[in-house]
Amino acid sequence: MMKQSYRPRHWYIKVINLAKTQLKMDESSYRSNLSELTGKDSLKDMGIADLVKVLEFMKQHGFKLQAKTKQTKPMPTNQLQKLKQVWVSLAQLNTLRDRSDAAFEAWALTAAKPLLPQPIDKLDWLPSGVVHQLIEQLKQWHRRELLKVVPVLMKELPDAAYIKEELCEIERIEREVLENLSKVNQADLERAYQSLSKILSIHKEGVQG
């Protein structure tokens, strides 16, 4: 049996208050219903299970949770571009089963659901703060994958006489990255990955040529 997933507690409280307004429920009836359903007359005293029960009651009485159709302004394009850039960087590590734009949009909308009072169906309308959180999520995911990949690439370097520039870069990666793998910053991890990928590509082309 699959474990049921729940939204954050504050989400239920916000939506139940919205339902109360939408159903035009007076305070007395509202408190009475809460007590009858959960034995508590205030949302702040309820756990997730109680809040879910109250929300289901509201839905049974006509409450409909709908995505907002009107927004003040779209989310800045440059933030979406940054989010997409991190996704592309992650895709380059061959970590993603599906690299398509559709997969990117599906991931972003799904990951945003717990951060929103109501689900939305367009990335352009994601709040700026939510996009920032998604960027941080992807960056952490990217970092975890780089921590796996960079040491593997180093081991794949062929036994060959490297030119001076390559040797200096390999020594830098060993000294500044591999010896401090748990503490190294994101920029150095990415640079190490790009450098090792380039060196391996050059030597692969040399062998094939």
Side-chain angles (χ1 to χ4, degrees), residues 55-160:
L55 181 55
E56 287 305 311
F57 172 83
M58 297 292 198
K59 288 179 179 178
Q60 290 169 11
H61 285 74
F63 171 60
K64 294 183 179 180
L65 183 60
Q66 299 176 339
K68 295 179 180 179
T69 57
K70 185 178 180 180
Q71 301 284 348
T72 54
K73 61 180 180 178
M75 197 272 307
T77 303
N78 60 339
Q79 278 196 293
L80 272 183
Q81 290 175 340
K82 185 173 182 180
L83 181 64
K84 183 63 178 293
Q85 286 171 0
V86 184
W87 175 268
V88 170
S89 296
L90 193 56
Q92 290 174 346
L93 301 180
N94 295 319
T95 298
L96 305 175
R97 284 177 293 181
D98 187 347
R99 304 184 181 193
S100 68
D101 289 344
F104 164 67
E105 184 168 342
W107 173 85
L109 291 175
T110 300
K113 279 185 180 180
L115 308 174
L116 296 166
Q118 300 181 52
I120 62 172
D121 55 11
K122 286 187 65 178
L123 288 186
D124 289 346
W125 296 112
L126 282 174
S128 177
V130 171
V131 177
H132 175 73
Q133 292 184 64
L134 296 184
I135 290 172
E136 291 305 311
Q137 284 185 33
L138 271 190
K139 285 170 66 176
Q140 289 302 313
W141 185 3
H142 189 214
R143 175 181 175 79
R144 290 193 297 271
E145 296 303 324
L146 284 171
L147 287 172
K148 299 175 188 175
V149 170
V150 169
V152 172
L153 291 182
M154 180 65 78
K155 291 178 181 179
E156 290 179 356
L157 290 174
D159 294 327

